[in-house]
């Protein structure tokens, strides 16, 4: 094989050799080349979609959505949640309740209030200490239910069931004080939320 010539009917040898050993110059099968090219295109698209820094496209976000959907199924048989100051404070402190509220918020509210509640063109920042229509924590479900500011904040009582309003209200309450960069504070400084009740006297809100 040192001559570098292939006999008739045999594969062509490559021009280079290693320690006197030559290799056949066989092209890759067409299907393999196509699959390799497709995998590169897919990898680029995957990277752009999931690694572009958009919060809602991360693997973590997908996991959170699936976990939220599972929690909502488990939550279906708990009965109607009673909205009180103590309950809203308790729900805002509970991971499962807050996660379900976050799922409802992302499905319905981020187009106006932003993915982190930082506000938008006309919608207020929900993460600061100021508000136009909120004086106490129970005002949050009232505003979500009935709307505010002459319809700028629409009423959601015909689109969300009472439990969804209760849960998203608790999530919104939990955003306070995070001070995410976004729309400037508006309205008046809100009084502090009530402190959570001791465990022995806290509302019974554990999922069954």
């Amino acid at each position: 094989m040192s001559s570098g010539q292939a006999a008739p009917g045999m594969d062509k040898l490559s021009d280079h050799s290693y320690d006197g050993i030559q290799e056949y110059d066989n092209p890759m099968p067409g299907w393999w080349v196509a699959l390799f090219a497709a995998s590169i295109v897919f990898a680029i698209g995957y990277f752009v979609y999931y690694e572009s820094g958009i919060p809602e496209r991360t693997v973590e976000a997908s996991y959170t959505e699936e976990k939220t959907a599972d929690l909502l199924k488990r939550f279906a048989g708990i009965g109607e949640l009673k909205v009180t100051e103590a309950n809203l404070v308790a729900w805002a402190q509970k991971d499962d309740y807050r996660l379900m509220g976050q799922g409802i918020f992302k499905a319905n509210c981020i187009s106006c209030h932003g993915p982190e509640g930082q506000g938008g063109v006309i919608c207020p920042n929900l993460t600061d200490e100021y508000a136009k229509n909120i004086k106490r924590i129970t005002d949050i479900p009232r505003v979500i239910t009935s709307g505010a500011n002459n319809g700028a904040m629409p009423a959601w009582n015909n689109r969300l069931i009472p439990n969804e309003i209760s849960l998203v209200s608790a999530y919104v309450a939990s955003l306070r004080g995070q001070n995410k960069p976004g729309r400037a504070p508006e309205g008046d400084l809100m009084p502090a939320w009530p402190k959570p009740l001791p465990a022995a006297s806290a509302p019974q809100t554990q999922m069954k």
Side-chain angles (χ1 to χ4, degrees):
M1 294 186 184
S2 59
S3 65
Q5 301 294 324
M10 295 182 62
D11 293 325
K12 181 181 177 181
L13 289 171
S14 63
D15 294 330
H16 55 268
S17 65
Y18 301 95
D19 295 330
I21 300 174
Q22 290 182 275
E23 60 184 358
Y24 286 113
D25 186 12
N26 292 329
M28 301 297 293
W31 64 266
W32 192 97
V33 175
L35 185 63
F36 181 71
S39 67
I40 294 175
V41 173
F42 175 81
I44 293 173
Y46 183 94
F47 180 84
V48 171
Y49 188 88
Y50 286 105
E51 302 297 332
S52 57
I54 299 176
E56 304 307 308
R57 292 182 179 178
T58 63
V59 174
E60 181 181 1
S62 299
Y63 169 77
T64 300
E65 290 177 5
E66 292 177 6
K67 184 176 180 180
T68 300
D70 178 66
L71 287 171
L72 287 171
K73 289 180 182 178
R74 291 167 51 197
F75 203 82
I78 200 172
E80 186 172 345
L81 298 171
K82 183 179 180 181
V83 173
T84 65
E85 286 192 349
N87 278 345
L88 285 170
V89 171
W91 300 335
Q93 300 291 319
K94 288 179 175 289
D95 291 341
D96 285 353
Y97 284 67
R98 192 170 58 250
L99 182 60
M100 286 185 286
Q102 182 184 34
I104 297 165
F105 182 89
K106 288 186 174 182
N108 298 279
C109 310
I110 63 174
S111 60
C112 292
H113 288 284
E116 297 184 316
Q118 74 273 23
V121 176
I122 62 173
C123 294
N125 190 328
L126 302 176
T127 70
D128 58 36
E129 301 283 350
Y130 294 82
K132 291 181 178 180
N133 302 288
I134 307 297
K135 304 300 180 186
R136 52 194 303 178
I137 194 170
T138 49
D139 286 334
I140 299 175
R142 175 184 61 77
V143 169
I144 294 173
T145 299
S146 302
N149 297 337
N150 296 318
M153 167 64 186
W156 285 84
N157 59 337
N158 60 344
R159 286 174 276 187
L160 298 177
I161 63 175
N163 276 5
E164 289 176 321
I165 291 175
S166 300
L167 292 168
V168 76
S169 297
Y171 174 70
V172 170
S174 75
L175 296 177
R176 179 180 176 178
Q178 295 183 13
N179 297 311
K180 299 289 185 179
R183 192 175 175 89
E186 302 171 79
D188 301 321
L189 178 66
M190 296 181 288
W193 298 152
K195 293 186 179 298
L197 294 174
S201 57
Q204 297 301 309
T205 57
Q206 187 64 37
M207 283 188 292
K208 298 177 181 180

